[in-house]
Amino acid sequence: MLITSYNPTELGDTLIAILRPDTADQKIETHQNVTRISDTATGETLGYNFFEVSKTLGKLTVNGQVHLTADQVDQLNNLLKATDFEPDLELDTADKFVVGYVESAEAHPKSDHLLVTKTEVGEGETLQIVSGSPNMQADILVVVAKIGAMMPDGLIIWPGELRGVESDGMIVSGRELKLPNAPQHPGALILPADYQKVGEPFDFDRAQTLFTA
């Protein structure tokens, strides 16, 4: 997993790289203009802060999530090696927002408002996703934020549990995707039946006209 973001207004010329979810006990090491955050117990890298990153990658014009190229990942790994860190970044180009099909939606055993869905996301993959959307039901086409997705508000989707039931992803709303004129209340974005094929990357450009003013 590799999730990167850049917010020069708030953080200056700093690229944030996230590889794993936060843990309670962390170790922080800084070598020159790179800070590594790791899990104290396992030693695994949780993430990096790359300061003055434009010296390595050139000027970045993105404000938010950055989708790195293979060359850029190589440049950052070279920087890690030059600053005596293990070059452990791996390119991640997998689509994180995809069209899904809700095969089933069953009552959560410990909640009167949550549903446990089986949602197909293409290539034979079906995810168990717990949803609190009031319009959730079986036999609908939806948008799924898969593990490793960064939502427009900066929230990162990790594996989790809701009241003791595993949930691997999130079925999202138009409001959460910040689509123009989306209803500002809870409820999954239900796509027209023939909108896109299951498993395809969700087309954000096309979705700009999903809701009319």
Side-chain angles (χ1 to χ4, degrees), residues 35-91:
T35 293
R36 176 179 183 259
I37 303 96
S38 60
D39 182 345
T40 303
T42 66
E44 291 182 321
T45 302
L46 304 177
Y48 292 99
N49 295 339
F50 294 98
F51 303 103
E52 298 182 316
V53 72
S54 62
K55 293 182 178 179
T56 300
L57 299 183
K59 184 177 180 181
L60 297 175
T61 58
V62 176
N63 189 356
Q65 185 171 10
V66 180
H67 298 284
L68 297 175
T69 66
D71 285 344
Q72 288 173 321
V73 172
D74 287 343
Q75 289 174 310
L76 291 175
N77 273 327
N78 288 336
L79 176 59
L80 289 174
K81 188 174 181 180
T83 52
D84 295 323
F85 285 121
E86 182 70 22
D88 56 357
L89 300 182
E90 296 182 5
L91 180 67

Side-chain angles (χ1 to χ4, degrees), residues 25-208:
D25 295 315
Q26 300 178 0
K27 179 181 179 181
I28 298 175
E29 305 171 82
T30 299
H31 299 174
Q32 300 178 46
N33 58 343
V34 179
T35 293
R36 176 179 183 259
I37 303 96
S38 60
D39 182 345
T40 303
T42 66
E44 291 182 321
T45 302
L46 304 177
Y48 292 99
N49 295 339
F50 294 98
F51 303 103
E52 298 182 316
V53 72
S54 62
K55 293 182 178 179
T56 300
L57 299 183
K59 184 177 180 181
L60 297 175
T61 58
V62 176
N63 189 356
Q65 185 171 10
V66 180
H67 298 284
L68 297 175
T69 66
D71 285 344
Q72 288 173 321
V73 172
D74 287 343
Q75 289 174 310
L76 291 175
N77 273 327
N78 288 336
L79 176 59
L80 289 174
K81 188 174 181 180
T83 52
D84 295 323
F85 285 121
E86 182 70 22
D88 56 357
L89 300 182
E90 296 182 5
L91 180 67
D92 184 359
T93 59
D95 295 306
K96 298 300 190 295
F97 292 92
V98 301
V99 175
Y101 172 72
V102 180
E103 297 176 343
S104 64
E106 305 293 338
H108 190 293
K110 297 181 181 179
S111 171
D112 60 3
H113 72 280
L114 296 175
L115 294 174
V116 182
T117 78
K118 298 295 184 183
T119 302
E120 181 187 352
V121 291
E123 297 184 354
E125 183 180 14
T126 299
L127 301 178
Q128 177 170 287
I129 301 176
V130 179
S131 174
S133 295
N135 60 344
M136 185 52 56
Q137 59 185 354
D139 195 28
I140 57 175
L141 208 62
V142 295
V143 181
V144 175
K146 299 178 74 174
I147 300 303
M150 176 179 280
M151 298 294 291
D153 65 358
L155 174 71
I156 296 174
I157 306 301
W158 297 114
E161 290 185 356
L162 287 174
R163 298 199 179 182
V165 175
E166 179 181 339
S167 186
D168 293 314
M170 180 178 176
I171 297 173
V172 298
S173 68
R175 173 174 58 103
E176 290 164 329
L177 294 175
K178 296 193 181 301
L179 297 180
N181 303 310
Q184 297 301 300
H185 53 74
L189 170 56
I190 300 178
L191 299 171
D194 59 351
Y195 189 77
Q196 284 186 253
K197 292 182 180 180
V198 173
E200 287 185 343
F202 179 60
D203 190 336
F204 277 89
D205 290 335
R206 181 182 177 189
Q208 297 304 298

